[in-house]
Amino acid sequence: MRSDGELLGAWQAGDAAAGEAFVDRHFAAITRFFRNKACGDDDVAELVGQTFLGCTAGKDRWRGEAGARQFLYAIAGNVLRKYIRGRYKRKSEELDFAAVCVQDCEGASPSSIVAHKREARSLAQALREIPVDDQIVLELMYFEGLSGSELAALLGVPEGTVRGRIARGRQRLRERVAALLAAGAAAPASDVSPEHLDEWARELRRQQGWE
């Protein structure tokens, strides 16, 4: 099987079939990337389309210093941030993606990810209520199964920075999940541990067919 770099390099050289193979290989993952970050399913499709259009338009700028997958996710991240800027309720403010969350957007609705268990539903919703930078890292970890070193390579940041984001994001996520569970329970919710988050993320992946 040809590597991502080989496919992207061949696409640059005019091999349209290589471009189609590159898009096909990453289409489902890029859809997952936006699945819980947009205000609706139509927006997800639009953001996925913009990402691959951006990849098509910008492929000749790729020189191989960054991995082909890193190149693609950098485009997806830029598309997401532009989308949030356009929908942010307080448009006069400069956005800090280490603070703003998807749920702050105009037209934001509860997560459309379907889950049978209340805990898994709460996890999907809580991910939308933590800062976007944290959400990106945690969803790539939970939904794509990436390790700290793999996340660092994909996002082009030091591994120590990624692990700091994971630790900070997990703590925020635990707090938001606990609050959502407590709000919908007749009895006080028990403490939410990192192991609980891992378990409920696996439940989400199974029900969405992402495994």
Side-chain angles (χ1 to χ4, degrees), residues 57-75:
K59 67 182 186 300
D60 292 336
R61 296 195 299 271
W62 181 70
R63 292 293 179 266
E65 296 88 352
R69 196 177 177 205
Q70 181 184 336
F71 172 74
L72 177 60
Y73 274 87
I75 294 171

Side-chain angles (χ1 to χ4, degrees), residues 100-180:
V100 68
C101 66
V102 168
Q103 212 59 40
D104 291 331
C105 293
E106 290 180 353
S109 57
S111 175
S112 61
I113 294 179
V114 176
H116 300 313
K117 293 185 177 180
R118 184 167 62 93
E119 293 86 355
R121 290 196 304 272
S122 296
L123 174 63
Q125 178 58 30
L127 283 162
R128 294 169 65 84
E129 298 179 10
I130 62 173
V132 171
D133 283 351
D134 295 344
Q135 183 186 6
I136 288 172
V137 168
L138 291 183
E139 288 190 353
L140 286 170
M141 182 180 73
Y142 288 136
F143 297 165
E144 304 301 324
L146 299 184
S147 66
S149 59
E150 289 170 333
L151 283 165
L154 183 67
L155 299 175
V157 298
E159 186 174 345
T161 300
V162 167
R163 294 195 181 280
R165 289 182 188 174
I166 290 172
R168 178 189 64 198
R170 267 182 168 164
Q171 182 57 38
R172 289 171 168 167
L173 186 62
R174 289 170 63 190
E175 292 169 0
R176 288 306 308 143
V177 171
L180 291 168

Side-chain angles (χ1 to χ4, degrees), residues 34-103:
F34 290 113
R35 184 71 174 80
N36 202 36
K37 301 181 185 73
C39 295
D41 290 344
D42 289 344
D43 287 355
V44 172
E46 177 65 22
L47 294 170
V48 171
Q50 288 178 20
T51 297
F52 285 112
L53 283 173
C55 187
T56 301
K59 67 182 186 300
D60 292 336
R61 296 195 299 271
W62 181 70
R63 292 293 179 266
E65 296 88 352
R69 196 177 177 205
Q70 181 184 336
F71 172 74
L72 177 60
Y73 274 87
I75 294 171
N78 289 336
V79 167
L80 175 64
R81 290 177 175 87
K82 181 178 179 182
Y83 170 80
I84 292 174
R85 286 190 189 97
R87 284 183 169 267
Y88 190 57
K89 293 175 183 177
R90 298 182 289 277
K91 297 186 185 300
S92 61
E93 296 182 9
E94 184 174 348
L95 292 192
D96 178 2
F97 291 98
V100 68
C101 66
V102 168
Q103 212 59 40

